[in-house]
Amino acid sequence: RFFSETEADKALFLKVKAIVEDSLEGESLRQITEIILRYKPEALSLTDKAVCPTKEMPVQCIFSNPINNQIITGQVTSLSHKEIFFSPDSFSSVKGMETPVEVTVLIKIGKNKIKCPSKVVLHGKHLRITFSGSNSENSEVIEEYLTKNLYLCL
């Protein structure tokens, strides 16, 4: 899409670096990520890299409440090397669970299924699931997913 010389001059004066579509899905989200990385490459450091799963690149997570053994399902809202932010389908499923608590989390990333010893902490209506211990196979699966999907949660 091209703009008139006047509009381009205004953008230059305002120090506009890029113009993107107003949708935050699919190709627009990838374009925004590429723009952020162009002007702020440190956003991709391994310690900060996080992916916001979408329909195109889902991440699923399941574990059980150690108090009553109820299966806890929900939406993964963010995945990084160290943790998952998770919104349970039913907040009553985490009722009675005192946090932090150690659990084993089953995670499905694409066709890969991994089992991670983790620590769960309540954050309001969300859970922060921090991976305990390191498993090189699990780390490789997560790293591959993060590398392939440069959608950053900033």
Side-chain angles (χ1 to χ4, degrees):
R1 183 164 125 179
F2 294 98
F3 296 94
S4 70
E5 188 176 331
T6 304
E7 292 299 315
D9 287 342
K10 288 179 191 176
L12 185 63
F13 177 77
L14 294 172
K15 297 182 182 176
V16 172
K17 302 286 187 197
I19 298 173
V20 295
E21 298 292 322
D22 59 358
S23 168
L24 288 178
E25 294 181 5
E27 195 57 36
S28 291
L29 189 54
R30 183 175 299 279
Q31 182 185 15
I32 290 169
T33 300
E34 289 170 0
I35 291 166
I36 290 169
L37 292 176
R38 185 181 325 142
Y39 295 102
K40 189 178 176 190
E42 67 273 11
L44 193 56
S45 72
L46 293 180
T47 55
D48 296 332
K49 190 170 22 172
V51 171
C52 298
T54 65
K55 290 177 185 174
E56 295 84 30
M57 46 179 227
V59 174
Q60 297 171 326
C61 176
I62 188 170
F63 61 98
S64 64
N65 184 330
I67 303 298
N68 57 19
N69 291 322
Q70 183 175 355
I71 300 294
I72 300 172
T73 60
Q75 300 282 330
V76 174
T77 57
S78 174
L79 168 68
S80 73
H81 288 282
K82 298 177 181 179
E83 64 193 2
I84 285 177
F85 280 86
F86 181 80
S87 181
D89 289 333
S90 168
F91 202 74
S92 64
S93 63
V94 297
K95 191 172 184 177
M97 194 166 75
E98 293 185 25
T99 64
V101 64
E102 299 286 333
V103 298
T104 298
V105 178
L106 300 174
I107 304 169
K108 184 176 179 190
I109 300 175
K111 294 182 180 182
N112 298 302
K113 296 176 185 171
I114 59 176
K115 190 187 277 190
C116 296
S118 306
K119 185 185 294 183
V120 177
V121 178
L122 286 174
H123 276 272
K125 293 189 175 188
H126 299 280
L127 302 176
R128 178 180 177 198
I129 302 170
T130 306
F131 306 132
S132 307
S134 64
N135 175 318
S136 61
E137 188 176 318
N138 290 353
S139 297
E140 286 176 23
V141 170
I142 293 170
E143 172 60 25
E144 180 182 348
Y145 181 82
L146 294 173
T147 302
K148 283 183 179 178
N149 303 287
L150 294 178
Y151 298 91
L152 301 180
C153 302
L154 300 173

